[in-house]
Structures are given as structure tokens and as C-alpha cells.
């Protein structure tokens, strides 16, 4: 069940039309153009709502993505590098987002720092592929994961080595 805030966020992220992955040499550039458009709109919406929580960029081919995400609690900013590759079966298969610095720090994570999205996000992705893209993976996968896991890690003693800088 999706709450009203999630529906609002999801409704503001443009859906994608091109069903193409990195192996589809003719259609992939169009899909990437849609991905960037969707990401730009999502980032604009976040900034307007004072909810800016990530930066992301890709390699030239759009197959490897990397950046930073952060979570603020008690005036401290916990910042983490994130990364993921676009699967060869994309968009049928969602990307596996990783936060390598947190590898092994939580039970809801796989080897290599890949966050666990199997219970809630992957079924949603499979029902909505190929309309969902990277912005949707961040909004419905990484965002909720951070909101649940990072406060738990903070309460169990995550320290400045993982962020925890005072927000300026």
C-alpha cells in the first residue's frame, strides 16, 4: 500500500516511454534522454520542497552511475557515496543501488553494500517496468531505505567516520 506522500512524489516524476537497455544501441540514447529528463524533474521537485538529498551522475554511456546521498538527523549530516550499474536486462530489472561504505553495517544490505530492495521495491518495479527509471529507483528504493536504516544505524552508534558532520 502506497501512502499519500509517496503517491504525490511518484506522480510528479515523469514516466519513461522507451523500452530499451544498454544493449539496445539504437534506442538506448533515447531512453537515456528520458532518464535524464525524469531525474532533472525529480531533483527540481525535491529542491522546491526543501528535500534535496542526493547528487548523481553517470559515465558517458549511461551504464554506470555514482554520486552522494545524505540523511540529516539532529542537525548532523550523514553523507554516503552511492553507485550502481544499469543491468543488461534493464528496464525489466531494477538497478541494484549500493552504498559501499555501509557494507555489513545493516541486515538490510547485500555483499558489496547493495541495499535490500527485494521486499517492497522490486515487486513495484516489475509491475511498472518499463515506465519506471532511475529517478523512481531513488525515490521509491533508496529514499525509503535511508529513512529507515540510517536512523537505526545512528541510534546504534554510527559515528563521524560515516558522516555525522554538523549541518552548516
Amino acid at each position: 500500500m502506497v501512502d499519500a506522500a509517496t503517491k504525490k512524489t511518484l506522480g510528479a516524476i515523469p514516466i519513461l516511454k522507451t523500452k530499451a537497455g544498454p544493449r539496445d544501441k539504437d534506442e538506448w540514447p533515447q531512453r537515456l534522454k528520458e532518464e535524464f529528463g525524469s531525474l532533472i524533474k525529480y531533483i527540481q521537485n525535491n529542491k522546491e520542497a526543501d528535500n534535496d538529498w542526493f547528487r548523481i551522475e553517470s559515465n558517458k554511456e549511461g551504464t554506470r552511475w555514482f554520486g552522494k546521498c545524505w540523511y540529516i538527523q539532529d542537525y548532523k549530516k550523514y553523507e554516503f557515496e552511492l553507485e550502481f550499474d544499469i543491468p543488461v536486462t534493464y528496464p525489466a530489472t531494477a538497478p541494484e543501488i549500493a552504498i559501499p561504505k555501509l557494507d555489513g553495517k545493516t541486515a538490510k544490505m547485500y555483499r558489496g553494500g547493495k541495499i535490500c530492495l527485494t521486499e517492497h521495491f522490486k515487486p513495484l518495479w516489475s509491475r511498472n517496468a518499463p515506465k519506471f527509471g532511475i529517478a523512481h529507483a531513488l525515490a521509491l528504493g533508496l529514499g525509503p531505505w535511508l529513512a529507515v536504516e540510517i536512523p537505526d544505524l545512528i541510534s546504534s552508534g554510527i559515528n563521524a567516520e560515516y558522516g555525522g558532520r554538523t549541518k552548516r
Side-chain angles (χ1 to χ4, degrees):
M1 186 104 188
V2 179
D3 65 23
T6 303
K7 281 185 182 182
K8 183 181 176 192
T9 300
L10 185 58
I13 301 173
I15 60 170
L16 291 88
K17 296 174 178 67
T18 305
K19 183 179 181 180
R23 293 188 293 184
D24 303 309
K25 297 298 180 197
D26 295 334
E27 303 267 340
W28 181 239
Q30 177 59 33
R31 175 69 185 211
L32 270 179
K33 187 176 179 182
E34 292 175 20
E35 293 280 4
F36 281 114
S38 184
L39 275 166
I40 289 167
K41 183 64 177 164
Y42 180 48
I43 291 167
Q44 287 172 342
N45 293 343
N46 283 345
K47 286 185 178 193
E48 288 169 8
D50 196 27
N51 188 26
D52 189 29
W53 59 275
F54 71 90
R55 294 282 179 272
I56 192 166
E57 59 185 285
S58 75
N59 65 0
K60 185 178 151 194
E61 298 79 23
T63 55
R64 178 131 180 88
W65 293 76
F66 46 92
K68 292 186 182 292
C69 60
W70 53 89
Y71 186 86
I72 298 173
Q73 181 171 311
D74 299 328
Y75 300 105
K76 292 183 181 177
K77 182 177 183 181
Y78 297 85
E79 189 171 89
F80 311 96
E81 291 185 10
L82 70 96
E83 62 184 45
F84 59 91
D85 293 319
I86 298 295
V88 293
T89 54
Y90 187 82
T93 305
E96 293 183 322
I97 301 169
I99 303 176
K101 203 174 205 180
L102 294 179
D103 188 15
K105 303 291 184 217
T106 171
K108 294 185 179 164
M109 184 168 273
Y110 301 116
R111 186 171 302 181
K114 292 180 180 172
I115 65 173
C116 176
L117 298 174
T118 54
E119 292 290 317
H120 306 286
F121 177 69
K122 290 211 177 170
L124 185 61
W125 180 279
S126 64
R127 283 194 308 272
N128 289 283
K131 297 180 287 187
F132 276 9
I134 295 163
H136 298 89
L138 294 171
L140 300 172
L142 180 60
W145 188 92
L146 288 171
V148 170
E149 293 301 311
I150 300 305
D152 188 49
L153 287 170
I154 293 168
S155 69
S156 66
I158 192 172
N159 60 34
E161 142 187 17
Y162 298 105
R165 295 189 309 275
T166 303
K167 184 180 172 189
R168 295 175 195 210

